[in-house]
Amino acid sequence: MKNVKYGKCIRCGKTYEAVPDLTVCECGGILDIIYDYDYIKTRLTKEVLAKRDQRTMWRYRELLPVEESTELPPLRVGWSPLYEEPRLAEQLGLKRLWVKDDGQNPTASLKDRASAMAVAKAREAGAKVIACSSTGNAASSLAGNAAAAGLETYIFVPSRAPKGKVAQLMTFGATVISVQGSYEDTFELSKAAIDRWGWYNRNAAINPYLSEGKKTVALEIMEQLNWEVPDYIAISVGDGCTIAGLWKGLKDLHAIGLIDRLPRLISAQAEGCCPLNRAIETGKPWHPMEENTLADSIAVGVPRNAEKALHAIRESRGLTVNVSDEEIMAAQKLLGKTCGVFGEPAGVTGAAGVKKLCEAGVIGREDTVVSVVTGNGLKDVANAIAACGDPITIPGNMERLLEAFAEKGIAVK
């Protein structure tokens, strides 16, 4: 790869050749993919991008660690819509607000970006089987993207994973192992199985290429904003890979001169499972927490990308915010009512964090914010139903309809 120099350990600094099956450093540290920015500057410009018709994550191929000859995965991943939301901005007291709806990816979450990268690198490695552990979204995204590419998958999920996500996996033909235990138990079993059978590893804590896929959400946001940098970008945080990828993408753009400054990140976690935010807020090393939240996709008590995530938050002078399950579900309804965007609980945790920071006066009238919705609400309809309540149920009779409206206090205009 002419655009890639090597993989570099974020802990000890040791470098490795960027082979397709690159994993972690011998010291246990996660690797970072280092690019030749001088070379990339000669190949990727705003003018070049403006002429490209391809509306997927692969439009930024010069900033991605794939060989020029690599056959790309068939599903359309990326280039999800970025909506400006003036009514919600006014309601929250912000200068400008945009919502990036990544739930419109093929398997309905941002994780498709990482899984598409995993499929591309698995092909380069000559692998026929890919495996991972997941709370749900990474699993379904891998299963869907791998199925489209003709690859076999083994997926390990904690038994609490929502049935809708497990149904996706089964539909995509994955071999699904539901582990009776925490996400940590699930991860360790998947790791042991991958080591035993030599499957290609899609686990974000092991495979450094996955953050490179996730970073494309940042590349899209900035191009969709015509390279005008917002003050803040808010995102839900679980194991830390997504926020680390977001920051990597922003730094890449800054390094090649496509943006002239960097935004601050907003790390939003659930109150019931916030080990990374707690580490930032206390100034102490992170410690495991119980996975006590209905936002299953970010219920990660032992985050595997803690070092990269904490670095991203600190280097960006980022904000941390922890929200209750009630605040998360309120944000789901708010986004639906004001924006027409239906996000799953974990997917709207970033928006819940923005709302809470506005109410606390931490951000406000002078600030511009992008909030990333990382997953679609159809992945977890049970919690949405519980939050919204039951519909009006009556016989097909106008008199009963009028009575029901009166009982509900509905004044039809």
Side-chain angles (χ1 to χ4, degrees), residues 67-118:
E67 299 286 356
E68 291 182 5
S69 60
T70 299
E71 181 184 1
L72 299 180
L75 295 186
R76 178 211 53 79
V77 176
W79 206 251
S80 58
L82 180 72
Y83 302 117
E84 183 165 9
E85 301 294 348
R87 288 192 299 126
L88 184 54
E90 177 63 27
Q91 186 171 333
L92 296 179
L94 290 169
K95 183 177 180 180
R96 297 181 79 180
L97 172 68
W98 294 265
V99 172
K100 175 76 164 168
D101 186 8
D102 237 42
Q104 293 198 31
N105 278 307
T107 74
S109 83
L110 186 150
K111 300 293 179 68
D112 280 331
R113 299 176 184 274
S115 291
M117 180 61 69

Side-chain angles (χ1 to χ4, degrees), residues 157-209:
V157 299
S159 55
R160 59 175 165 75
K163 291 182 179 180
K165 294 179 182 179
V166 175
Q168 267 191 307
L169 297 174
M170 304 298 287
T171 300
F172 292 141
T175 298
V176 182
I177 301 92
S178 179
V179 180
Q180 297 172 348
S182 67
Y183 177 70
E184 172 69 4
D185 300 324
T186 306
F187 179 89
E188 290 299 333
L189 182 58
S190 76
K191 182 177 182 298
I194 289 167
D195 290 343
R196 182 183 181 110
W197 285 291
W199 300 327
Y200 190 82
N201 195 331
R202 186 248 179 258
N203 283 325
I206 302 295
N207 189 329
Y209 294 117

Side-chain angles (χ1 to χ4, degrees), residues 1-4 33 35 57-58 60-73 116-121 124 209 212:
M1 294 179 286
K2 295 178 181 178
N3 60 332
V4 174
I33 303 301
Y35 291 88
M57 62 180 270
W58 302 108
Y60 309 104
R61 193 156 175 163
E62 291 86 351
L63 277 173
L64 296 175
V66 291
E67 299 286 356
E68 291 182 5
S69 60
T70 299
E71 181 184 1
L72 299 180
M117 180 61 69
V119 168
K121 299 307 290 184
E124 290 180 4
Y209 294 117
E212 301 302 310

Side-chain angles (χ1 to χ4, degrees), residues 247-270:
W247 186 237
K248 178 67 180 300
L250 292 165
K251 289 191 70 177
D252 284 348
L253 292 177
H254 190 257
I256 63 173
L258 294 191
I259 56 176
D260 58 7
R261 67 183 182 92
L262 291 164
R264 298 175 69 182
L265 302 183
I266 295 175
S267 170
Q269 290 204 282

Side-chain angles (χ1 to χ4, degrees), residues 11-324:
R11 187 178 298 171
C12 74
K14 184 174 180 177
T15 61
Y16 294 82
E17 182 183 356
V19 295
D21 56 353
L22 196 61
T23 55
V24 296
C25 179
E26 60 185 21
C27 78
I30 299 173
L31 303 185
D32 202 11
I33 303 301
I34 305 301
Y35 291 88
D36 184 342
Y37 291 127
D38 289 334
Y39 171 77
I40 294 170
K41 285 179 183 178
T42 68
R43 304 290 296 272
L44 187 66
T45 65
K46 295 177 183 179
E47 292 73 26
V48 167
L49 280 170
K51 294 176 182 177
R52 285 188 177 164
D53 294 328
Q54 186 184 38
R55 291 293 189 265
T56 73
M57 62 180 270
W58 302 108
R59 70 189 274 104
Y60 309 104
R61 193 156 175 163
E62 291 86 351
L63 277 173
L64 296 175
V66 291
E67 299 286 356
E68 291 182 5
S69 60
T70 299
E71 181 184 1
L72 299 180
L75 295 186
R76 178 211 53 79
V77 176
W79 206 251
S80 58
L82 180 72
Y83 302 117
E84 183 165 9
E85 301 294 348
R87 288 192 299 126
L88 184 54
E90 177 63 27
Q91 186 171 333
L92 296 179
L94 290 169
K95 183 177 180 180
R96 297 181 79 180
L97 172 68
W98 294 265
V99 172
K100 175 76 164 168
D101 186 8
D102 237 42
Q104 293 198 31
N105 278 307
T107 74
S109 83
L110 186 150
K111 300 293 179 68
D112 280 331
R113 299 176 184 274
S115 291
M117 180 61 69
V119 168
K121 299 307 290 184
R123 280 177 161 173
E124 290 180 4
K128 303 298 182 184
V129 179
I130 313 180
C132 77
S133 63
S134 168
T135 54
N137 282 337
S140 57
S141 74
L142 175 60
N145 280 275
L151 300 176
E152 188 178 354
T153 51
Y154 287 80
I155 310 293
F156 296 77
V157 299
S159 55
R160 59 175 165 75
K163 291 182 179 180
K165 294 179 182 179
V166 175
Q168 267 191 307
L169 297 174
M170 304 298 287
T171 300
F172 292 141
T175 298
V176 182
I177 301 92
S178 179
V179 180
Q180 297 172 348
S182 67
Y183 177 70
E184 172 69 4
D185 300 324
T186 306
F187 179 89
E188 290 299 333
L189 182 58
S190 76
K191 182 177 182 298
I194 289 167
D195 290 343
R196 182 183 181 110
W197 285 291
W199 300 327
Y200 190 82
N201 195 331
R202 186 248 179 258
N203 283 325
I206 302 295
N207 189 329
Y209 294 117
L210 301 190
S211 284
E212 301 302 310
K214 289 187 175 184
K215 80 179 183 186
T216 58
V217 71
L219 311 184
E220 289 176 15
I221 287 170
M222 295 317 310
E223 187 178 5
Q224 289 169 325
L225 289 177
N226 196 30
W227 313 107
E228 295 293 325
V229 181
D231 296 314
Y232 297 94
I233 300 180
I235 199 155
S236 313
V237 175
D239 76 348
C241 183
T242 301
I243 195 168
L246 174 67
W247 186 237
K248 178 67 180 300
L250 292 165
K251 289 191 70 177
D252 284 348
L253 292 177
H254 190 257
I256 63 173
L258 294 191
I259 56 176
D260 58 7
R261 67 183 182 92
L262 291 164
R264 298 175 69 182
L265 302 183
I266 295 175
S267 170
Q269 290 204 282
E271 283 182 353
C273 192
C274 56
L276 296 178
N277 282 0
R278 185 174 63 178
I280 295 289
E281 291 156 5
T282 62
K284 298 178 180 179
W286 72 269
H287 294 287
M289 288 187 69
E290 291 186 9
E291 298 166 356
N292 186 22
T293 174
L294 55 76
D296 65 281
S297 294
I298 56 170
V300 182
V302 182
R304 293 290 177 166
N305 273 271
E307 289 176 273
K308 281 189 177 183
L310 293 172
H311 176 75
I313 298 167
R314 289 175 176 138
E315 189 176 31
S316 74
R317 299 180 299 111
L319 304 177
T320 60
V321 57
N322 304 315
V323 289
S324 67

